[in-house]
Amino acid sequence: KEVVEDGEPHYRIEEGVIYLFEEEKPSLIFRVFLDGVKHGREGLCITRMNPKRIRETYGLGTTPIIWLVKNKIPSETCLSPNELSLCYEMIDNFIKQAERGLILIEGVEYLMTQNSFSSIQKFFQLINDSVMPSTSSVLVTLDPATLTTQEYHLIKREMEKIEVKEVKDGEDYIRHTLP
């Protein structure tokens, strides 16, 4: 766990849900993730971005970061994009062990270039099966423009699209939109 901040988190995230962030470049998803881990949730970050840069930018000192990259970098925990089953096992183990876990998945487009769409769809179905009965939540960022309409709708079925709303005290919170 990261150092816990006092007070309530700015974003309320339901347990047992995968949230879909539609972003060209991940921004809001990292703010939501950081807010969650700074307020006591156990975090796991799976990303295409350089973990050193993420740690420096967001001040994440203890949160494990898995780098989606073909080359193995000795100082980092790396996972080849072709190892979807191993990635799922890591996520599933984290969900089983974490109390109120929060998982960020960034780099789905990269995974799609290295695997079939069917494999990606099954990957998210398995993650959803693991997270639904748990106290954990998953945050996924994806640019819908990188998918066909059919692919987007198939992926979206496993997730709750989010929207950020203002509340009276000026803090944002996350809530899912219903179809």
Side-chain angles (χ1 to χ4, degrees):
K1 289 187 180 181
E2 295 291 331
V3 175
V4 178
E5 291 182 3
D6 291 334
E8 291 295 313
H10 295 276
Y11 302 95
R12 289 184 223 136
I13 302 166
E14 291 179 35
E15 296 173 352
V17 176
I18 301 179
Y19 288 98
L20 174 61
F21 290 72
E22 294 180 354
E23 297 183 287
E24 223 175 281
K25 295 276 187 181
S27 173
L28 175 60
I29 193 170
F30 275 102
R31 289 197 316 267
V32 172
F33 180 74
L34 184 63
D35 183 62
V37 297
K38 293 287 184 176
H39 286 92
R41 295 194 72 164
E42 293 181 55
L44 172 65
C45 179
I46 301 170
T47 182
R48 176 76 176 127
M49 296 164 44
N50 186 322
K52 182 179 177 184
R53 186 169 172 220
I54 291 173
R55 285 186 193 96
E56 290 171 357
T57 303
Y58 299 103
L60 294 173
T62 59
T63 298
I65 299 175
I66 299 170
W67 194 359
L68 296 172
V69 64
K70 286 222 179 211
N71 302 332
K72 299 298 179 196
I73 292 54
S75 61
E76 299 293 347
T77 303
C78 300
L79 186 66
S80 172
N82 303 98
E83 298 178 303
L84 281 181
S85 60
L86 181 57
C87 187
Y88 165 71
E89 286 178 32
M90 295 169 97
I91 292 168
D92 188 52
N93 287 334
F94 180 81
I95 289 170
K96 287 175 181 170
Q97 294 174 10
E99 186 175 322
R100 296 186 60 238
L102 186 59
I103 302 162
L104 183 150
I105 302 175
E106 183 276 325
V108 176
E109 295 86 354
Y110 180 56
L111 294 174
M112 288 182 181
T113 65
Q114 304 295 315
N115 300 278
S116 69
F117 177 76
S118 175
S119 296
I120 298 294
Q121 184 181 12
K122 288 175 189 172
F123 173 70
F124 283 114
Q125 289 169 341
L126 288 170
I127 293 171
N128 201 15
D129 288 347
S130 293
V131 80
M132 282 189 294
S134 77
T135 60
S136 293
S137 307
V138 179
L139 312 175
V140 177
T141 184
L142 180 64
D143 181 357
T146 62
L147 302 167
T148 68
T149 303
Q150 181 181 11
E151 289 171 342
Y152 170 70
H153 286 285
L154 287 169
I155 289 283
K156 190 172 74 167
R157 288 185 59 93
E158 298 301 319
M159 305 175 193
E160 299 287 344
K161 185 177 167 189
I162 61 98
E163 58 185 39
V164 175
K165 296 280 189 179
E166 289 291 320
V167 292
K168 289 181 184 177
D169 60 5
E171 293 181 347
D172 293 334
Y173 75 99
I174 288 192
R175 65 167 237 198
H176 60 277
T177 57
L178 300 174

